[in-house]
Amino acid sequence: MNFAQTVLLPVDMQQAFDGPSWPRRWNGAVDRNGQAILDAWRSRGLPVIHVKHDSIDPGSTLRPGQPGNAFRPGFEPRDGEPVVSKSVNSAFIGTDLDLRLKRLGVRKVVVFGITTDMCVSTTVRTGANLGYEMILVEDACDCFDLPDGQGGTIPARTSHQAHVATLRFEFARVLTTQEIVEALGNAAAAAA
C-alpha cells in the first residue's frame, strides 16, 4: 500500500463510551489495535487528524466539559495533530475536514474508531461520496448492542459485521490492524 497522500482519521476515541449509560460493546481489542495503528503511523511521520464528537445535547456524556468528552488514554493528539470537532455522525458535515484534506493533497483516508455503525460508517460513506479512497480498519472499530425495535437486541458484533460488509461492498477498502501495520513497516523498509 502506498501511503503518499494518505491521512489517518481516528474517529471518536473518547472516554464516554466506557460509561455505564452506554450498552455493551464487543471489541475488547479496539484500544490496543487503534494504538498500534497510531504508533506505527506516527513513527512514519504521516499526517493524523483526530475526530472528536462534541455533543450539543445537554445530557450527553460526550458534551464538552463532561469527563467522557476527553480522548481515551493513548489517543490524545500530539503537537501538530489537528482535531476536527463534530456534533453529528459524519466528520465531514459541519466541519472543515474536507478543506483540511484538500489542503494536504489527501486522496486516501484510513479510518478507525467508535462506533462502526454510526460515526465511523457515516464518515466513511460521506468521504467516499466526496471522492476520497476510504480505508476502514475493521478490527480497530467497535460498536454497541442495539435494541431491534421489537423487544430484542441486535448483538454489537452482528451490527459491526453487517456495517463492515456494506462498507466493503460499495464505500471502502477494508483492512485489519496487522495489514496496516505491516504495510507501514514495508513502506519504511522500502524507503530505507
Side-chain angles (χ1 to χ4, degrees):
M1 179 174 169
N2 183 348
F3 291 97
Q5 300 177 306
T6 305
V7 73
L8 180 63
L9 200 69
V11 174
D12 298 353
M13 294 302 288
Q14 293 168 259
Q15 294 184 28
F17 297 118
D18 292 330
S21 65
W22 293 86
R24 184 187 70 83
R25 290 188 288 126
W26 74 273
N27 187 359
V30 67
D31 287 337
R32 182 179 67 244
N33 290 341
Q35 193 63 61
I37 295 164
L38 192 54
D39 290 346
W41 201 269
R42 285 172 168 160
S43 74
R44 295 273 296 126
L46 297 169
V48 179
I49 300 176
H50 300 268
V51 175
K52 185 178 190 189
H53 194 91
D54 288 331
S55 178
I56 57 173
D57 177 355
S60 174
T61 56
L62 290 165
R63 187 170 48 86
Q66 295 298 310
N69 182 262
F71 285 100
R72 302 170 77 75
F75 292 95
E76 302 89 352
R78 291 189 180 165
D79 287 343
E81 293 178 351
V83 176
V84 169
S85 170
K86 64 178 181 59
S87 61
V88 296
N89 301 102
S90 174
F92 288 96
I93 303 298
T95 73
D96 65 349
L97 179 59
D98 185 40
L99 179 60
R100 286 177 184 267
L101 297 178
K102 285 179 176 159
R103 284 182 175 164
L104 290 170
V106 167
R107 306 211 24 107
K108 292 183 254 184
V109 182
V110 176
V111 181
F112 72 88
I114 303 173
T115 66
T116 315
D117 55 330
M118 301 286 182
C119 295
V120 171
S121 177
T122 308
T123 295
V124 169
R125 290 167 184 257
T126 307
N129 286 334
L130 290 172
Y132 294 101
E133 180 183 337
M134 303 301 289
I135 300 163
L136 175 70
V137 189
E138 65 176 319
D139 60 349
C141 295
D142 204 353
C143 59
F144 299 97
D145 289 347
L146 293 175
D148 67 1
Q150 300 173 3
T153 299
I154 299 171
R157 186 168 181 104
T158 301
S159 180
H160 171 82
Q161 290 171 325
H163 280 270
V164 169
T166 302
L167 294 174
R168 178 185 284 121
F169 189 76
E170 187 162 344
F171 298 97
R173 182 175 173 194
V174 177
L175 299 173
T176 64
T177 296
Q178 181 177 343
E179 288 170 325
I180 290 287
V181 171
E182 285 179 1
L184 285 163
N186 292 340

